[in-house]
């Protein structure tokens, strides 16, 4: 059992209240963390602010040395970290292991490119006033960035935003979910005590109130979680006039056209819909299959889902595929969606019930579903694959877009032009053609939800790091003039000459250049 009493926080800041963490697979208490008050969050934020200037002064190469040491530490402690994560999430070992790859990618990508991304940018002169100037843009970090995360990826999710924020030169105040705080608290301890990194990274623990306190302290907030919480954070960020990035919920559609490779499409649906027990923002949550291939798709999908092994396996054993759900509340949402569908005439061709003990829910395929059902409208965030028969491409696109969410989607087709055509009509921030989930994991592509799935976005090459910076416009003089022609005092001859120059250089016809009225433009 892990008791985190010191998350990089001094003795005087320790909390009287603790949050108990249980393993969802079997209900065991596996650790506890302090339930921190806003006062504690404020003190920790002050410590981070004090440490940030020296961190910024290190420059990207200096910061990269520390961040690469963190990667070494994560790899050296991988088994222990993933074991801890497994205990607090109930994931299968295979699902847990994917999170290491996210750390490896994020650290290697942003440490490799930070010098280039943060380099001062020289920009083109524009307008008469710029003729005597040199123009540059400096990238200066927000001093304190808050990163608030949900429970589904305790190692990966803080990493994908935290690493670029650190590499930008910000100090980072993390607030992991109260359901799964142990993994990130341990990473923070590792950074401070074993990596001996500067105190520019802290992890505060607690529930929504602690998260709200983080929003009140930081200069920029990056939030991943539900749309409902995202709205509250956006409202508070608006009041405080701080920027926020919101990565929120989704109801991702998969479209399977009649020329698709059904073996690949069904395997994609199984992993894309059920990885992490379906608890991924970009999970395949609903599938539209064209009439001609519908029966083949459902038969193959059902066989593959039925063959999945469910359970929380031993460290490193890869004996199961799909683990538990993270919370009892999450199981209840899945139960409600399945019950609502079955009552309205749908059929569970495999699964459809809770597993034995813990918070397991059987991997489930639902047929006979339609958009009157909760399983096709609301985010399920569970191991269900509702499949709907559609007439044609147009019907599939119309139904896929019939959602308040717009995170990602998948299109399966043997014809590249056809798949592109469908992708261009989908109202989502990402489209995977003949694949699932992938766009989210690629750091050079932007990841940002449309509609109620988010604001801002992450990744996308340099943008993924520069979002944690403020742009500073810097103007320097090319010549040592004693004054500028447009400065006081206004001299009649000089001012008239300037007015003429503006017309001569700015107008598009000779009449206007000479100070007369010109003809109207045609067309
Ligand atoms: P949640 O919104 O309930 O909680 C997320 C985090 O916000 C937690 O750390 C929580 O303590 C904190 N929080 C709660 N109230 C707060 C407040 N008022 N102010 C500040 N912080 C507050 O979400 P969850 O149930 O933990 O996670 C599931 C949701 O996350 C799903 O909707 C899922 O789609 C979404 N998600 C989105 C992405 C993405 O990148 N788009 C990734 C993973 C999960």
């Amino acid at each position: 059992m892990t008791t985190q009493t010191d998350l990089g926080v001094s003795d005087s800041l320790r909390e009287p209240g603790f949050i108990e963490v249980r393993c969802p697979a079997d209900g065991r208490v596996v650790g506890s963390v302090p339930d921190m008050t806003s006062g504690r969050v404020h003190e920790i934020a002050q410590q981070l602010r004090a440490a940030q200037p020296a961190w910024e002064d290190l420059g990207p190469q200096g910061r990269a040395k520390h961040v690469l040491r963190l990667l070494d530490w994560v790899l050296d402690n991988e088994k222990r970290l993933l074991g801890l994560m497994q205990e607090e999430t109930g994931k299968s070992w295979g699902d847990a292991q994917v999170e290491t790859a996210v750390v490896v990618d994020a650290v290697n990508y942003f440490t490799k490119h930070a010098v280039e991304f943060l380099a001062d940018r020289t920009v083109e002169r524009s307008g008469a006033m710029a003729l005597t100037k040199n123009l540059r843009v400096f990238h200066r970090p927000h001093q304190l960035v808050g990163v608030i995360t949900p429970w589904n990826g305790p190692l990966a999710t803080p990493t994908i935003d935290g690493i670029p924020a650190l590499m930008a030169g910000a100090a980072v105040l993390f607030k992991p979910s109260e359901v799964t705080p142990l993994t990130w608290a341990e990473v923070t301890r590792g950074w401070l005590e074993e990596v001996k990194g500067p105190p520019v990274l802290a992890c505060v623990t607690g529930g929504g109130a602690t998260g709200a306190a983080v929003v009140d302290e930081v200069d920029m907030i990056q939030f991943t979680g539900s749309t409902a919480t995202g709205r509250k954070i956006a409202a508070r960020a608006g009041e405080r006039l701080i920027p926020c990035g919101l990565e929120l919920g989704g109801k991702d559609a998969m479209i399977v056209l009649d020329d698709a490779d059904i073996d690949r499409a069904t395997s994609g649906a199984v992993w894309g819909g059920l990885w992490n027990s379906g608890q991924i923002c970009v999970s395949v949550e609903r599938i539209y299959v064209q009439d001609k291939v519908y029966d083949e798709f459902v038969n193959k999908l059902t066989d593959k889902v039925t063959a999945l092994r469910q359970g929380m396996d031993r460290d490193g054993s890869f004996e199961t595929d799909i683990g538990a759900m993270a919370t009892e509340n999450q199981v209840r949402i899945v139960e409600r969606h399945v019950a609502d569908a079955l009552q309205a005439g749908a059929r569970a061709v495999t699964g459809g019930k809770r597993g034995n003990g813990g918070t397991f829910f059987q991997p489930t395929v639902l047929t006979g579903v339609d958009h009157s059902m909760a399983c096709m409208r609301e985010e399920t965030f569970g191991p269900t694959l509702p499949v709907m028969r559609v007439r044609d491409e147009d019907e599939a696109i119309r139904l896929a877009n019939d959602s308040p969410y717009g995170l990602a989607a998948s299109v399966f087709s043997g014809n590249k032009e056809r798949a592109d055509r469908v992708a261009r009509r989908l109202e989502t921030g990402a489209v995977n053609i003949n694949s699932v989930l992938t766009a989210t994991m690629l750091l050079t592509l932007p990841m940002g939800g449309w509609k109620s799935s988010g604001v801002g976005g992450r990744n996308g090459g340099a943008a993924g790091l520069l979002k944690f910076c403020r742009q500073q416009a810097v103007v320097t003089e090319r010549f040592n003039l004693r004054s500028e022609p447009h400065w006081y005092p206004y001299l009649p001859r000089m001012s008239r000459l300037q007015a003429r120059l503006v017309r001569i250089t700015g107008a598009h016809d000779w009449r206007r250049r000479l100070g007369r009225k010109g003809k109207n433009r045609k067309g």
Side-chain angles (χ1 to χ4, degrees):
M1 181 173 126
T2 308
T3 300
Q4 294 286 346
T5 52
D6 191 338
L7 310 171
V9 178
S10 72
D11 278 355
S12 64
L13 300 181
R14 284 190 181 149
E15 292 295 307
F18 278 81
I19 295 174
E20 214 170 53
V21 182
R22 287 176 183 272
C23 175
D26 53 23
R28 254 177 324 130
V29 175
V30 291
S32 67
V33 291
D35 186 6
M36 294 186 185
T37 62
S38 55
R40 299 293 189 267
V41 174
H42 175 69
E43 288 179 71
I44 294 165
Q46 293 299 102
Q47 292 168 5
L48 290 172
R49 284 190 189 283
Q52 186 273 339
W55 180 244
E56 186 179 348
D57 283 350
L58 280 180
Q61 278 165 323
R63 294 193 288 275
K65 284 184 191 153
H66 292 283
V67 173
L68 285 165
R69 265 184 229 132
L70 178 69
L71 173 61
D72 293 344
W73 181 84
V74 167
L75 292 175
D76 291 349
N77 292 275
E78 184 188 15
K79 204 162 179 204
R80 195 169 57 75
L81 280 176
L82 296 190
L84 192 57
M85 189 209 299
Q86 213 185 14
E87 286 201 315
E88 62 180 351
T89 58
K91 288 176 196 252
S92 68
W93 188 260
D95 281 354
Q97 211 202 21
V98 176
E99 300 208 23
T100 309
V102 176
V103 181
V104 168
D105 275 2
V107 170
N108 287 335
Y109 181 71
F110 287 111
T111 54
K112 181 174 172 201
H113 293 287
V115 171
E116 165 200 338
F117 292 165
L118 291 170
D120 299 345
R121 195 157 51 91
T122 301
V123 297
E124 190 191 351
R125 285 183 203 96
S126 143
M129 210 177 268
L131 288 173
T132 58
K133 320 285 177 214
N134 286 323
L135 316 183
R136 285 170 303 158
V137 176
F138 293 174
H139 305 288
R140 303 276 313 284
H142 291 287
Q143 188 179 42
L144 184 57
V145 169
V147 173
I148 301 180
T149 44
W151 37 256
N152 55 347
L155 182 62
T157 318
T159 299
I160 41 181
D161 294 310
I163 295 299
L166 283 169
M167 285 309 302
V172 187
L173 182 54
F174 289 92
K175 210 300 278 173
S177 167
E178 58 274 39
V179 178
T180 58
L182 300 178
T183 307
W184 199 256
E186 175 55 13
V187 171
T188 308
R189 191 200 62 75
W191 167 269
L192 293 173
E193 294 179 11
E194 298 186 31
V195 174
K196 309 271 186 224
V200 288
L201 181 169
C203 170
V204 293
T205 50
T210 310
V214 169
V215 181
D216 280 349
E217 289 295 336
V218 296
D219 306 318
M220 190 247 166
I221 185 77
Q222 176 61 39
F223 171 76
T224 307
S226 64
T227 298
T229 308
R231 280 187 214 283
K232 290 185 202 162
I233 289 178
R236 184 63 189 136
E239 280 170 5
R240 291 202 56 230
L241 284 180
I242 59 166
C244 67
L246 305 173
E247 295 291 351
L248 309 176
K251 188 72 190 167
D252 290 3
M254 173 192 272
I255 294 176
V256 182
L257 299 175
D258 55 8
D259 55 1
D261 173 343
I262 300 302
D263 287 321
R264 183 168 170 87
T266 45
S267 293
V270 175
W271 190 71
L274 305 180
W275 179 51
N276 212 31
S277 293
Q279 302 169 115
I280 291 291
C281 53
V282 285
S283 284
V284 172
E285 289 243 343
R286 50 200 172 111
I287 306 175
Y288 304 98
V289 186
Q290 219 175 333
D291 201 21
K292 199 171 129 197
V293 290
Y294 177 86
D295 289 335
E296 182 189 356
F297 182 91
V298 169
N299 290 338
K300 288 186 170 164
L301 180 72
T302 306
D303 288 348
K304 289 177 186 178
V305 170
T306 309
L308 290 172
R309 305 157 299 169
Q310 191 167 35
M312 191 178 104
D313 47 357
R314 285 175 302 111
D315 294 7
S317 68
F318 299 98
E319 281 166 356
T320 65
D321 301 303
I322 178 170
M325 311 221 44
T327 66
E328 179 59 32
N329 191 39
Q330 209 52 50
V331 181
R332 288 206 196 103
I333 294 171
V334 181
E335 281 183 319
R336 177 168 64 78
H337 285 190
V338 172
D340 167 80
L342 297 182
Q343 203 174 23
R347 197 174 145 232
V349 284
T350 183
K353 297 195 183 75
R354 282 188 82 116
N356 290 329
T359 54
F360 292 96
F361 195 92
Q362 295 172 346
T364 299
V365 176
L366 294 169
T367 55
V369 294
D370 62 43
H371 274 221
S372 70
M373 300 172 189
C375 69
M376 297 299 274
R377 287 192 327 267
E378 298 171 24
E379 186 180 45
T380 307
F381 224 57
T384 54
L385 290 168
V387 192
M388 190 169 165
R389 188 193 293 265
V390 291
R391 244 186 345 268
D392 53 24
E393 212 173 289
D394 281 348
E395 188 180 22
I397 294 166
R398 182 180 59 76
L399 289 167
N401 286 338
D402 177 22
S403 170
Y405 295 110
L407 199 51
S410 311
V411 181
F412 282 77
S413 167
N415 178 325
K416 284 181 183 156
E417 286 76 36
R418 195 180 180 202
D420 274 4
R421 189 171 69 215
V422 173
R424 280 183 210 283
R425 291 175 62 194
L426 290 173
E427 291 292 310
T428 56
V431 181
N432 296 287
I433 293 176
N434 293 326
S435 189
V436 289
L437 311 188
T438 323
T440 312
M441 301 181 184
L442 304 178
L443 299 174
T444 48
L445 278 175
M447 180 210 173
W450 293 5
K451 303 199 272 187
S452 294
S453 289
V455 173
R458 59 164 68 100
N459 302 338
L465 191 144
L466 295 179
K467 66 178 281 189
F468 298 107
C469 293
R470 298 160 294 174
Q471 294 192 47
Q472 191 170 44
V474 180
V475 181
T476 46
E477 295 302 313
R478 294 171 71 192
F479 315 107
N480 288 326
L481 301 177
R482 277 202 297 188
S483 179
E484 297 266 341
H486 59 280
W487 287 1
Y488 292 142
Y490 292 140
L491 304 172
R493 276 183 59 196
M494 179 60 82
S495 298
R496 277 188 213 110
L497 181 65
Q498 278 185 61
R500 268 190 214 127
L501 275 174
V502 168
R503 279 185 165 265
I504 286 169
T505 57
H508 291 247
D509 61 87
W510 278 108
R511 292 181 69 85
R512 288 186 174 92
R513 282 190 190 116
L514 295 174
R516 300 194 198 127
K517 276 204 163 170
K519 292 182 185 161
N520 289 338
R521 280 171 195 261
K522 286 183 188 147

